[in-house]
Amino acid sequence: MKVAIMQPYFLPYIGYFQLMASADVFVIYDNIKYTKKGWINRNRMLLNGKDSVFSLPLMKGADSLNIAERAISPDFNKMKLLNQFHGAYSKAPY
C-alpha cells in the first residue's frame, strides 16, 4: 500500500495530482502550523506573459494557528479573482 501526505495548496501544481493518482491513500495534512508566504493560500498566473502572484486573503489570526484553523477573509472578492483568470486565460489556445 502506498500512502502519500501533502499540505493543502490553492490550485496545486500537476505533480500534486500525479502523487494523488499514484497513491492508494492520500492524506491532506492540515493540522500543522500555517506558514506565511507559503503556497497554501497563494499561487501564480501568467498575466500579460509575466508571472503574477495572487493570494486568497485570510482572516487575522495568531501565528500559532494551524492551517485547518485559518479562514478566508469575508472581504475576499471572488469575482475579481475569477475576472483576472478570465482575462489572463480566455484567449489561451488550450
Side-chain angles (χ1 to χ4, degrees), residues 4-58:
I5 302 172
M6 289 288 285
Q7 294 181 121
Y9 293 110
F10 179 61
L11 300 175
Y13 63 103
I14 191 70
Y16 197 93
F17 296 103
Q18 291 169 335
L19 181 63
M20 276 181 177
S22 70
D24 298 312
V25 176
F26 185 79
V27 178
I28 297 176
Y29 189 39
D30 64 352
N31 58 345
I32 56 172
K33 186 178 171 189
Y34 169 80
T35 53
K36 290 182 181 177
K37 301 198 180 195
W39 295 100
I40 296 163
N41 66 310
R42 297 182 335 138
N43 212 315
R44 294 179 295 196
M45 74 170 95
L46 275 180
L47 197 55
N48 298 323
K50 297 180 184 174
D51 263 0
S52 176
V53 176
F54 63 93
S55 61
L56 297 177
L58 299 178

Side-chain angles (χ1 to χ4, degrees), residues 52-73:
S52 176
V53 176
F54 63 93
S55 61
L56 297 177
L58 299 178
M59 290 176 40
K60 301 278 187 217
D63 287 344
S64 61
L65 289 177
N66 288 338
I67 295 169
E69 297 170 315
R70 296 287 178 160
I72 295 174
S73 172

